[in-house]
Amino acid sequence: MTPEANRLVEAFADAGFPRMPAAALVAVLTSESSALTAAELATELEVSPAAVSGAVRYLQTVGMMTRRRAAGDRRYVYELPEHAWYAASVNNQALYERLASVAETTAASLDVPAARERVLDMAGFFRFVQRRIPDLLDEWNAQRS
């Protein structure tokens, strides 16, 4: 992986993304074919097949990687889904809802007004993001066209 690609992995990791899934994501993203087998990922990342397995499982769970059979081969290849960033953003909608809902419930249980306000502010932020994501995604799709 190039030093620039490694910086992208680090940026994902600094943002809280697990390092190994970030490395697998960047490896596929920057590959010539945009689809790599588990063995190719292990070689590119210089890690064990088990590390690759965990990384791609995580990426599949969050909607940022898909698995398909390679043409004429028994092996699977891992690739970005079409509109990967859109899918990941849509998948976060449930997370924003959960965070906002739990924060509101937590705030209602707090006796300290300042603490209650801080937690409600957080809930308000996640509600705002949840409402804005669909419009942002529509704007992004319009810009891409």
Side-chain angles (χ1 to χ4, degrees):
M1 200 174 302
T2 67
E4 292 79 12
N6 279 323
R7 281 196 288 280
L8 185 53
V9 170
E10 290 304 318
F12 272 113
D14 289 347
F17 207 85
R19 187 166 182 16
M20 187 53 59
L25 177 65
V26 170
V28 170
L29 183 65
T30 61
S31 71
E32 186 173 333
S33 67
S34 76
L36 297 172
T37 66
E40 290 168 333
L41 275 167
T43 299
E44 173 71 19
L45 301 175
E46 299 177 351
V47 298
S48 71
V52 168
S53 177
V56 297
R57 186 172 37 257
Y58 176 88
L59 292 167
Q60 288 175 299
T61 300
V62 298
M64 297 186 81
M65 190 161 290
T66 60
R67 178 179 82 160
R68 67 171 171 79
R69 290 261 187 215
D73 198 338
R74 290 183 22 205
R75 296 178 302 168
Y76 287 103
V77 293
Y78 297 94
E79 60 191 356
L80 295 176
E82 187 175 357
H83 308 297
W85 313 122
Y86 177 92
S89 298
V90 168
N91 287 344
N92 279 335
Q93 288 289 78
L95 173 62
Y96 300 142
E97 168 59 33
R98 184 167 195 288
L99 288 170
S101 180
V102 171
E104 289 163 352
T105 301
T106 301
S109 73
L110 296 174
D111 293 330
V112 178
R116 184 173 40 254
E117 287 304 312
R118 286 192 301 272
V119 175
L120 284 174
D121 187 56
M122 181 184 78
F125 173 78
F126 287 116
R127 292 275 182 222
F128 171 80
V129 170
Q130 183 183 24
R131 282 192 312 271
R132 289 289 298 136
I133 287 288
D135 292 337
L136 290 172
L137 295 175
D138 288 344
E139 288 175 35
W140 170 245
N141 284 329
Q143 179 179 318
R144 289 181 66 210
S145 299

